[in-house]
Amino acid sequence: MSLPLRESEYAVTLKNDRLLRALLGEPVDVTPVWMMRQAGRYLPEYRATRKQAGDFLTVCKTPELACEVTMQPLRRYAFDAAILFSDILTIPDALGQGLYFSEGEGPKFHKVIRSAADVEKLPEVDIADELSYVTDAVSVIRKELNGTVPLIGFSGSPWTLATYMIEGGSSKDFRIAKQFMYDNPEAMHLLLEKLADSVTDYLNAQIRAGAQAVQIFDTWGGILSGNAYREFSLNYMTKIVSKLQKENEGRRVPVIIFTKNGGQWLESIADSGCDAIGLDWTTEIGDARSRVGGRVALQGNMDPTILYASPAVIREEVATILKSFGSGEGHVFNLGHGITPEVNPDHVSHFVEAVHEYSEQYHR
Ligand code: 1CP
């Protein structure tokens, strides 16, 4: 039987722990950087792997392929973290909703939730068991990373998952999901309760398998009013955070909450017990720091479309964001949302290099 590693032994096995340190507000030499959707369609090698596999879901469900695409961006760029290649919609799929991707149209479900009876009919499944292909991918990736950088695990938030399950896919206005929430708040709460249990089990399984930090993607929390956000989204993320395994391998496992368009609720999000808040580009990071920087770390927040601009503009924007955050600890550099497929991969090198180059002065 192998015993868990002690902290000192672990520090030796993880060569670059900047991400984990910054998420906990500890000193670093330079600001760590990773990028939402860093494995994805802007990379020709990703498109080749997906083509070879046949489709996106096969990549997610085959641990060796998920590992290959997780590693691809790390071979090109000096990122300080890897993020598990998977999707937030694996949970609704495991709950029997029948996820599929139709070319050019994004995710879709064979079954949708439209009534309290539909929520009650959701099967009781062992999420860790049903999604063992994800935890297997985590183990394979950790082995392949071999202590170079930490691995981030993730899940969707209950609210964000619920929008897809009710709408049956992506939506522009979330009309059906919001009507369901306003007309059937009790059924909505029952659905969110079930999803919160699933997300908790799923993230804990990823942590046990080797995820060294976890991020909750609340991509659609920002479409709600403040009161509805607290009641239907933040409330459930807070419950999840309180039930996550806090340590593994002798080290703290930090939790990041990313609510897109959540800049007006940072104080409430910081109360959730998370270690870090992911910021989109609509909030000035310096302002965010003065509001909550003493309580949580901040991750973000360059507008992803700046990657379309010239390398000089990209570098300038990186410098501006670093200056806005200012000296001291608790910043993880990232985009404010995922990189888009049309970005030139060479531009990403400028982004990553600029973060490391320009941030040293803020950590003396
Ligand atoms: O190859 C393809 O055509 C599929 C495109 C794709 C990819 C690369 C999808 C379908 N998912 C992913 C991977 C993915 N999804 C990751 C990988 C790790 C990484 O490198 O970052 C992650 C973290 C996600 C998470 C995800 N999926 C979110 C939350 C983050 C976000 O971008 O807001 C959401 C909302 C989804 C749903 C989803 N899956 C795929 C698409 C195109 C979408 C978005 C649909 C929509 O806009 O409603």
Side-chain angles (χ1 to χ4, degrees):
M1 201 183 91
S2 65
L3 293 167
L5 294 172
R6 287 201 313 272
E7 193 160 352
S8 55
E9 291 166 323
Y10 189 74
V12 175
T13 55
L14 183 58
K15 294 174 196 98
N16 172 352
D17 67 351
R18 281 176 193 137
L19 173 93
L20 301 184
R21 298 180 66 84
L23 288 173
L24 299 173
E26 296 169 2
V28 287
D29 55 346
V30 294
T31 304
V33 53
W34 66 280
M35 196 170 74
M36 285 191 269
R37 291 280 170 98
Q38 64 190 32
R41 283 172 293 175
Y42 74 106
L43 291 177
E45 57 269 36
Y46 169 81
R47 296 197 298 270
T49 305
R50 192 186 61 172
K51 196 169 168 199
Q52 209 183 352
D55 59 31
F56 166 70
L57 276 180
T58 305
V59 181
C60 294
K61 292 185 178 181
T62 314
E64 290 68 29
L65 294 178
C67 176
E68 166 57 23
V69 294
T70 299
M71 298 304 293
Q72 285 171 350
L74 300 172
R75 292 184 196 125
R76 277 184 185 250
Y77 314 111
F79 283 131
D80 296 292
I83 177 160
L84 163 70
F85 190 85
S86 188
D87 197 77
I88 63 164
L89 301 175
T90 50
I91 287 183
D93 192 43
L95 293 174
Q97 297 302 103
L99 173 65
Y100 66 101
F101 283 84
S102 51
E103 198 59 42
E105 278 191 76
K108 286 211 164 22
F109 288 103
H110 288 297
K111 281 195 201 164
V112 291
I113 302 274
R114 291 290 159 83
S115 66
D118 291 339
V119 179
E120 275 152 21
K121 273 192 298 207
L122 280 172
E124 298 284 335
V125 301
D126 180 336
I127 279 290
D129 193 42
E130 205 65 40
L131 294 176
S132 59
Y133 64 85
V134 177
T135 41
D136 287 348
V138 170
S139 311
V140 175
I141 296 164
R142 273 297 299 274
K143 224 173 177 178
E144 186 70 22
L145 283 170
N146 193 25
T148 47
V149 290
L151 175 64
I152 303 167
F154 70 91
S155 171
S157 72
W159 164 256
T160 293
L161 296 178
T163 65
Y164 285 98
M165 293 169 81
I166 297 166
E167 296 279 344
S170 306
S171 173
K172 284 197 169 61
D173 55 10
F174 301 92
R175 181 177 61 79
I176 312 171
K178 282 179 145 182
Q179 188 187 344
F180 189 85
M181 174 184 84
Y182 286 119
D183 276 344
N184 303 290
E186 280 174 19
M188 191 61 163
H189 279 301
L190 186 62
L191 173 59
L192 293 168
E193 199 74 60
K194 286 186 183 221
L195 288 170
D197 288 344
S198 297
V199 170
T200 305
D201 292 348
Y202 186 45
L203 287 177
N204 277 331
Q206 290 182 33
I207 292 167
R208 282 195 304 274
Q212 291 149 294
V214 292
Q215 175 153 323
I216 303 174
F217 284 96
D218 186 30
T219 305
W220 305 123
I223 64 163
L224 293 168
S225 69
N227 285 336
Y229 173 70
R230 275 177 271 273
E231 181 178 345
F232 293 95
S233 187
L234 184 58
N235 180 22
Y236 292 94
M237 293 195 284
T238 304
K239 280 192 188 166
I240 293 164
V241 173
S242 75
K243 290 184 191 157
L244 291 181
Q245 189 176 321
K246 296 276 173 292
E247 276 191 21
N248 200 34
E249 303 175 63
R251 207 162 171 154
R252 173 93 182 208
V253 181
V255 183
I256 310 156
I257 289 186
F258 171 65
T259 293
K260 185 158 174 273
N261 281 315
Q264 63 276 50
W265 306 315
L266 299 181
E267 291 82 357
S268 304
I269 301 173
D271 288 339
S272 69
C274 67
D275 299 285
I277 299 179
L279 283 181
D280 67 63
W281 62 95
T282 61
T283 301
E284 169 93 26
I285 198 162
D287 292 343
R289 188 183 188 190
S290 53
R291 286 164 59 195
V292 295
R295 295 199 282 147
V296 289
L298 294 168
Q299 177 176 277
N301 68 341
M302 193 173 95
D303 180 349
T305 62
I306 288 170
L307 292 174
Y308 292 126
S310 67
V313 172
I314 295 169
R315 287 178 164 272
E316 204 179 298
E317 184 65 15
V318 167
T320 303
I321 292 169
L322 286 170
K323 188 170 175 217
S324 171
F325 187 87
S327 288
E329 309 307 332
H331 184 201
V332 172
F333 216 106
N334 205 312
L335 302 177
H337 198 205
I339 183 172
T340 43
E342 301 80 11
V343 168
N344 175 347
D346 293 340
H347 287 199
V348 176
S349 312
H350 291 278
F351 164 66
V352 177
E353 283 164 16
V355 174
H356 287 155
E357 233 174 273
Y358 300 157
S359 62
E360 205 188 335
Q361 60 184 304
Y362 297 106
H363 297 285
R364 284 184 192 136

